[in-house]
Amino acid sequence: MSTAVQVSADELRDAGTRIFTACGVPPDDAWLVADSLVQADLWGHQSHGVLRVGWYVDRLRAGVMNAETKCEIVAGSGAVATLDGHDGIGQVVAAHAAEEAIGRAKRHGVGVVAVRNSNHFGTAAYFTRMAPPRGCVGILTTNSSPAMAPWGGRGKLVGSNPWSIAAPVDADRQMVLDIANTGVARGKIYLARNHGTEIPDGWAVNAEGLPTRNPEEALLGTVLPMAGHKGYGISVMMDVLSGVLSGSGFGSAVHGPYQAEHPGRSGHLYLALDIAAFSPVQEFGERMTALVAELKSGSREGAEEVRYPGEIEDLAEARNARDGLLLPERTLTDLRKVADSLGVDALGER
């Protein structure tokens, strides 16, 4: 099993920013990408954290992802727009889409932005969480490179196609769901490989279609859907919203961050709902608070308190920001190698 190493979020964020800037990414965009990855680590989702820096760098160096992201509105009016990311960095494109959708929602009650020709954007919650402070509910869907077989079929043809919803509870709290439609995100298998641990039963099958607990074998096979045929069906429909509707790639035409030969052609759909257009904002807050209280009333005596969606991530962020992050030694070693290859001074030896 790999040794865990403690590192501060600020140090990681600075290292990521330096690395991406060295690849030609404008400083503000470089910080955004680094912050999104470190935030995933803070939330306890290391599968979507700085583990991914090297993959993004490979894609930037190969030219299949553009260092300078140029977003363009190519269709739509009023509450609706289609945004072309022109193979830019997924996080930058998604942030543009969020701002565009939220702005339209504040004018029209709802804002809907379809995105084409984007890339992997890390954790979807980073972008849906942008909506509640502006008085909106944020909904984001995306497609991703094929990771699982169609239900009853074989071969990688369907992506995990994650989606997220974020709504305000009060001035300080948000209720946030961020899930993939596979039983587990593919990045968690890479993380298990970095930790040198086996994966649980039910995560994946090997190239022969047989169950495996070996992460290396799982990466050569396919990830299993969540909830059987239901996860498969939801994933396909998310591809309809993200890829087909937006005019972007869909199915096998989407290429993920794990390779540097093809443009991503990922598509997204961002919906922002202005709460004030539906009901008084104070009333919405009271109803959300009542919902949280009802959920927590189901806590069992002697057991851990029931958590609403997103609360575990908030608790993890507070703990990790205070105590520092514990990351696999391999993850930090890989990060240093990327920095060294770019002539960047980041994350000195420990």
Side-chain angles (χ1 to χ4, degrees), residues 22-322:
C23 292
V25 179
D28 287 348
D29 290 354
W31 183 91
L32 171 68
V33 180
D35 185 59
S36 73
L37 298 177
V38 174
Q39 187 62 61
D41 284 321
L42 285 168
W43 284 330
H45 299 302
Q46 293 183 8
S47 59
H48 286 66
V50 295
L51 166 74
R52 295 176 177 264
V53 169
W55 298 331
Y56 290 168
V57 168
D58 287 344
R59 292 181 57 73
L60 289 166
R61 283 173 151 173
V64 295
M65 183 165 74
N66 293 324
E68 294 192 36
T69 302
K70 301 183 185 300
C71 294
E72 178 187 9
I73 300 295
V74 294
S77 62
V80 178
T82 299
L83 185 152
D84 194 324
H86 295 296
D87 298 321
I89 299 171
Q91 281 90 339
V92 181
V93 176
H96 274 279
E99 289 294 336
E100 188 71 35
I102 293 167
R104 289 173 185 257
K106 300 309 286 187
R107 297 192 297 273
H108 304 286
V110 59
V112 185
V113 177
V115 178
R116 63 178 62 157
N117 299 321
S118 184
N119 277 285
H120 185 274
F121 55 43
T123 177
Y126 186 86
F127 306 99
T128 54
R129 281 177 178 261
M130 295 169 65
R134 303 271 292 278
C136 293
V137 174
I139 305 170
L140 176 60
T141 75
T142 186
N143 57 15
S144 56
S145 57
M148 62 181 174
W151 189 251
R154 61 192 298 270
K156 292 181 184 178
L157 294 174
V158 182
S160 61
N161 301 344
W163 50 284
S164 175
I165 303 173
V169 175
D170 51 36
D172 300 315
R173 298 179 296 169
Q174 298 185 24
M175 185 177 289
V176 186
L177 176 69
D178 183 353
I179 60 172
N181 299 305
T182 43
V184 64
R186 190 172 172 85
K188 290 187 182 295
I189 300 177
Y190 279 101
L191 183 63
R193 182 202 63 184
N194 281 9
H195 274 298
T197 59
E198 291 188 326
I199 60 174
D201 292 325
W203 275 21
V205 295
N206 63 20
E208 286 71 45
L210 301 174
T212 182
R213 301 186 68 184
N214 184 314
E216 297 284 1
E217 290 183 3
L219 291 170
L220 296 175
T222 58
V223 186
L224 296 172
M226 70 167 185
H229 68 282
K230 297 178 183 179
Y232 157 69
I234 295 171
S235 199
V236 171
M237 296 311 295
M238 290 299 162
D239 203 4
V240 172
L241 294 176
S242 307
V244 179
L245 180 66
S246 69
S248 197
F250 56 88
S252 60
V254 180
H255 301 282
Y258 315 108
Q259 53 78 43
E261 289 77 39
H262 306 285
R265 296 208 64 212
S266 181
H268 323 309
L269 186 71
Y270 198 107
L271 295 86
L273 309 176
D274 183 18
I275 294 166
F278 294 84
S279 65
V281 173
Q282 182 177 346
E283 179 183 323
F284 178 87
E286 291 169 352
R287 289 167 64 82
M288 286 295 292
T289 300
L291 173 59
V292 168
E294 185 171 285
L295 292 172
K296 288 185 175 294
S297 72
S299 299
R300 300 194 311 274
E301 186 175 352
E304 187 176 351
E305 179 182 338
V306 167
R307 304 298 183 185
Y308 56 84
E311 187 178 11
I312 290 175
E313 285 78 5
D314 289 339
L315 292 170
E317 178 179 6
R319 182 179 63 253
N320 289 325
R322 180 189 68 238

